[in-house]
Amino acid sequence: MFASNLLLLLAIILPLASLLLALRPDWQQAYRYCLPLLPLPALLAGLTLGPDASLELPGLLLGGRWGLDELRQVFLVLTATLWLVAGVFAVGYLKVHYLRRFCVFWALTLAGNLGLVMAQDIASFYSFFALMTFAGYGLVVHEGTGEANHAGRVYLAMAVVGEMAILSGLLMAAQQAGSGLLADLPAAVAEADRRWLIMFLLLAGFGVKAGLPLLHFWLPLAHPVAPTPASAVLSGAMIKAGLLGWLVTLPFGEVSLPDWGNALVILGAVGSLGGAVLGVRQRRPKTVLAYSSISQMGLMTLMVGAALANTEYAGPLFAVMALYVLHHGLAKGSLFLSTAMALPAGRGGQWLLWLLIALPGLSLAGLPFTSGAASKLAMKELLKPGNFEFAMAPYLPMLMSAGAVATMLLVWRFLWVQRAAASVGSNPAFMCLGWGLATAGSLVLFWWLPWPGAVPDKAWLATMVHESWSLFWPILVATVIAALAWRSVKQR
Amino acid sequence: MNLSVLMPVFALMTSLVASVVLFALPERGFRLRTTINLVAAILKIALVGMMIWGVAQGREYEAAFTMVPGVEFVLRADALSMLFAGLSALLWLLTTIYAVGYLEDSPNRSRFFGFFSLCVASTMGIALAGNLFTFFLFYEMLTLSTYPLVVHRGTTKALRAGRNYIIYTLTGGAVLLFAIAWLHGLVGDLRFQEGGYFSDIAPSMQGPLTIIFVLMIVGLGVKAALVPFHGWLPQAMVAPAPVSALLHAVAVVKAGAFGIIRVVFEIYGLEAAKDMGLLAGLSVVAAFTIIYGSTRALYQVDLKRRLAFSTVSQVSYIVLGLCLFGPVGVAGGLVHLVHQGIMKITLFFCAGNYAETLGVHRIDELDGAGKRMPGTSVAFTLGAFGMIGAPPLAGFITKWTMGSGALAVGMDWVVAVLVISSLLNAAYFLPILHRLWFAEQCEPWPHERRWGRLETSAWLLWPPLITAALMLVAGLIANLPFSPLSWAELIVAREVAL
């Protein structure tokens, strides 16, 4: 008990305490090497603590409570892992230029991101969410270019509006619930007279972070201009905070809301396909990846819609979403980190590197025997039209396949522009290590990380062989389209 | 004579005596003057701290004597007065430290610190006043003792601002006096009383009482900078930074707001004021002031002027909170008395540091100041986020409590006001933060001074760091006993007992 409380506390305190290293300019080199250590207690907490670990802090804010449950555990493992590998990468990536400032904003954003996953009371949750949002600005504008400042302005303006929507939504929900705990919100929102307003505010507020269509404008501007390790955590972990916000506040499992389900499925489809359409037209690898994130979040929005439409499937869908979050976070993190990697001189080495860069991408598209295939199969299992009765339900499988094609197209586009952008040279050891860890996490480690309990057990190998065609054809279709497009460009 | 009579008197005397001694000191006695200042301030904190402890146990401290038949002079320490007295005592110490550093080698320091102490004595008197008459005495004394501080530099601009200030506040004072006299004629001498007097009044009294209420709000609203009586406040910016800090955070605007609290709570009574429809009107004025102040702040290029309009906006949170009739909303308004104080004083200290150390007055001159003055800039950043209402700072606690309170009584539009105000706050504070931390310094500082190893004089650096830390603590431990929020809830429990 004591040890688990200490670990939960340390997970937040360590990143915050590291700010002391910023007191003196000559400690900044030491600070740089501490970055990978900061998420370690959180990772340990995610891996070792049971889903019922919790810590009461009655004096904090309006009464604090931090802890884990099955959903938060997966989010915490992903968040901590991603910040860890990105931190390792950052040690090699960073230059002396504004080093101290970068470390400060890194630690603050990290503390916010970990904290919001663990927070179980409303005030802590909102506090950490705001900390992450505002500190994230420091990472976005770090390079100080005009482009970065512009992206930062858009990021901040939308983030502030989002924060206000979240605040109003939480206020109303908390007022209805008469409680300061997040766990009491869904039931209260379900019964509220102004349910539509509360839900709208929360959906839109968190939707800014999650890159919901029409609220996504900041995302393709901000993610590419940030330093590469920051892009990785922005797109892999922070974007998921919006999703987590939805999952812990909206009335899942309380009441079936087919209208909201329809609306979100449509929004999700627009995000998933629209993100791809916009993404394939981009010329910079990181921008393509940012649109890919929007597209992937579209698929998750689709699941959120389905879960809202049918109380029965909310629980299982949560588990699948958690799995999807884990998969996407690791794969996208690895892809973002790979954009800064220089190619080795030898031809064999180049081929190996391209393979390792491409694999997490293929995993996103659902290549059999990857994490993507695992989560896509789990998703398919649940989103069968027979399970749902709302208007958009029959289209779900089609949308999922279309999403897979779109994802693969984006991966091709990414590899294409990345090839043009890549330079030949050597990489600092820490960068290789960080990227290697991220890739290994996406391809190998994924299978050992704690899976949410409600996901069907891992008798996947046989299923994957059985389903390999259904998983593979979208990749094939996308590849054919990409090849045709490439030929037409070449002929012109 | 037992101790409970003397405590409020002692608390008042510390600064009164200090003031007299300071006037008498020769200009050169830097060390002696500083010692007297600090000893008096620390003594006062100790006295107020003891009274706070006692009041929490349910004790009351009171000293009273009859001045002329029918008119009493009453000093009293109750939960509400301790909220204001505690704030003033604490911030006076910090402002004194700051002022010592700020005026290190400027002329007329004896005069300055004399009036400075007098000003704090008046504030203490306002906090401890036990009836309207006593309140009014100190309210006017505050006007007279702040005037020399506003015009301290003696420039034409300062004199003009001072004249403006005195016209506004004396007029307000006259209106207030008229209202008090009228009320006195109607019902006699009224001590402040928890729950107020007018819970059941004859219909014939309703008319005069409504007019008196409006007059009192006008009289007090001048100092509280309610629109349209706020005109003096932005002009008073010519005053030295410690004075601005005091005017905006503790003394003048808070005296107005505190007076409104006393009138609503302890003369009229919250319930009666609401039933007579007085609070509805007041809430509209407060809400308008909040939006108006923030909007004007957006267009200021001078840092102190932007902060001044921000004060106009923020002080009205307190007034709006009162109008939310209901324990939660009222507590939100009350706690903002303290929260706004520590946040705004931090910002003004910082603005003073930029002016003194770098010669920077305009916002566009702040580029890259974060690197040159990291401590000050961290404090400023926290202050700005506090004003925006970002958690876990003090401002968030206010906003959350007021928002919940408003929803609880069905005044949903207040949440919209809070949100709009926060957005405007973000719009005028965040660009400053960007300049501080992320913009490159392009031009040399207008007028740079060096103080050894630190970014500025230690006298100037520590006060904002401490108040910024207080602001963080007030938010973080809002749920513990003796936090400003818990204290405000204690007051509400005693006043309203709903």
Side-chain angles (χ1 to χ4, degrees), chain B residues 302-319:
Chain B
D302 184 281
L303 182 57
K304 275 175 86 181
R305 268 183 79 85
R306 185 171 286 191
L307 294 181
F309 276 108
S310 159
T311 306
V312 172
S313 160
Q314 292 277 339
V315 171
S316 279
Y317 273 67
I318 305 172
V319 182

Side-chain angles (χ1 to χ4, degrees), chain B residues 410-429:
Chain B
M411 291 172 73
D412 298 10
W413 59 272
V414 169
V415 175
V417 171
L418 295 177
V419 164
I420 293 170
S421 154
S422 295
L423 287 175
L424 288 168
N425 270 281
Y428 64 75
F429 274 124

Side-chain angles (χ1 to χ4, degrees), chain A residues 58-63 98 101 105 122-123 126-127 130 134 137-138 141 149 156 160-161 164 167-168 170-172 174-175 194, chain B residues 371 385 390-392 396-397 399-400 403-404 407-408 412 415 419 422-423 426 430 434 437-438 440 475-480 485:
Chain A
L60 183 78
L61 290 164
L62 304 158
Y98 292 131
R101 189 177 79 188
F105 284 107
I122 300 169
Y126 181 66
S127 298
F134 287 117
Y137 176 80
V141 300
N149 283 336
L156 203 56
V160 169
V161 174
M164 288 303 123
L167 178 76
S168 333
L170 286 179
L171 259 174
M172 286 187 212
Q175 166 64 25
R194 285 167 302 186
Chain B
K371 202 170 178 181
F385 275 116
F396 164 70
I397 300 294
K399 201 161 67 173
W400 183 269
S404 316
L407 289 173
D412 298 10
V415 175
V419 164
S422 295
L423 287 175
L430 292 179
H434 178 87
W437 296 111
F438 299 105
E440 291 279 358
L476 277 181
I477 58 153
N479 223 26
L480 286 187
L485 180 65

Side-chain angles (χ1 to χ4, degrees), chain A residues 135-209:
Chain A
Y137 176 80
L139 299 177
V140 172
V141 300
H142 177 77
E143 304 288 358
T145 55
E147 199 191 352
N149 283 336
H150 171 66
R153 261 198 305 282
V154 178
Y155 168 84
L156 203 56
M158 297 198 67
V160 169
V161 174
E163 290 285 320
M164 288 303 123
I166 294 171
L167 178 76
S168 333
L170 286 179
L171 259 174
M172 286 187 212
Q175 166 64 25
Q176 181 75 29
S179 153
L181 290 182
L182 284 172
D184 298 326
L185 293 189
V189 173
E191 287 167 11
D193 295 333
R194 285 167 302 186
R195 184 172 67 199
W196 70 271
L197 179 60
I198 300 178
M199 287 184 66
F200 175 78
L201 286 168
L202 291 173
L203 272 171
F206 290 119
V208 171
K209 239 340 139 289

Side-chain angles (χ1 to χ4, degrees), chain A residues 318-334:
Chain A
F318 265 42
V320 174
M321 275 188 259
L323 192 66
Y324 206 97
V325 160
L326 192 62
H327 141 70
H328 175 248
L330 291 169
K332 192 48 70 61
S334 162

Side-chain angles (χ1 to χ4, degrees), chain A residues 79-418:
Chain A
T79 309
T81 310
L82 210 55
W83 280 91
L84 173 71
V85 296
V88 173
F89 188 90
V91 174
Y93 179 89
L94 287 178
K95 299 162 190 75
V96 187
H97 172 76
Y98 292 131
L99 179 56
R100 184 159 61 137
R101 189 177 79 188
F102 182 87
C103 292
V104 166
F105 284 107
W106 181 272
L108 283 173
T109 316
L110 169 62
N113 198 350
L114 292 175
L116 76 91
V117 176
M118 288 190 272
Q120 292 185 331
D121 68 289
I122 300 169
S124 301
F125 177 75
Y126 181 66
S127 298
F128 285 121
F129 202 91
L131 177 63
M132 179 186 82
T133 298
F134 287 117
Y137 176 80
L139 299 177
V140 172
V141 300
H142 177 77
E143 304 288 358
T145 55
E147 199 191 352
N149 283 336
H150 171 66
R153 261 198 305 282
V154 178
Y155 168 84
L156 203 56
M158 297 198 67
V160 169
V161 174
E163 290 285 320
M164 288 303 123
I166 294 171
L167 178 76
S168 333
L170 286 179
L171 259 174
M172 286 187 212
Q175 166 64 25
Q176 181 75 29
S179 153
L181 290 182
L182 284 172
D184 298 326
L185 293 189
V189 173
E191 287 167 11
D193 295 333
R194 285 167 302 186
R195 184 172 67 199
W196 70 271
L197 179 60
I198 300 178
M199 287 184 66
F200 175 78
L201 286 168
L202 291 173
L203 272 171
F206 290 119
V208 171
K209 239 340 139 289
L212 210 58
L214 298 182
L215 298 172
H216 72 280
F217 297 113
W218 64 275
L219 202 148
L221 296 173
H223 288 200
V225 294
T228 299
S231 313
V233 288
L234 274 167
S235 208
M238 284 163 64
I239 198 172
K240 306 296 188 307
L243 178 69
L244 183 67
W246 286 341
L247 296 187
V248 296
T249 55
L250 295 176
F252 293 100
E254 300 286 339
V255 54
S256 293
L257 301 164
D259 293 346
W260 287 97
N262 281 329
L264 278 177
V265 168
I266 293 172
L267 265 181
V270 169
S272 161
L273 303 178
V277 170
L278 292 173
V280 292
R281 297 166 55 206
Q282 304 302 321
R283 292 168 188 279
R284 289 194 301 183
K286 285 212 281 185
T287 316
V288 178
L289 290 181
Y291 275 107
S292 158
S293 290
I294 294 176
S295 167
Q296 294 290 311
M297 288 309 285
L299 281 179
M300 289 184 228
T301 311
L302 206 120
M303 283 192 268
V304 170
L308 272 179
N310 190 332
T311 39
E312 242 175 279
Y313 285 93
L317 272 171
F318 265 42
V320 174
M321 275 188 259
L323 192 66
Y324 206 97
V325 160
L326 192 62
H327 141 70
H328 175 248
L330 291 169
K332 192 48 70 61
S334 162
L335 283 171
F336 259 108
L337 293 184
S338 70
T339 59
M341 300 295 288
L343 297 173
R347 211 157 172 79
Q350 283 193 4
W351 273 110
L352 181 67
L353 192 75
W354 278 118
L355 182 69
L356 286 176
I357 292 177
L359 271 176
L362 287 166
S363 163
L364 281 182
L367 185 74
F369 310 112
T370 60
S371 60
S375 32
K376 279 206 158 57
L377 283 179
M379 187 170 152
K380 249 188 183 154
E381 180 70 25
L382 280 173
L383 292 188
K384 277 188 279 201
N387 290 348
F388 296 94
E389 281 180 350
F390 61 107
M392 290 299 290
Y395 306 103
L396 286 173
M398 198 187 81
L399 285 173
M400 272 160 41
S401 301
V405 174
T407 306
M408 192 59 216
L409 277 175
L410 277 176
V411 172
W412 280 120
R413 177 65 186 172
F414 164 70
L415 290 172
W416 187 347
V417 290
Q418 171 68 2

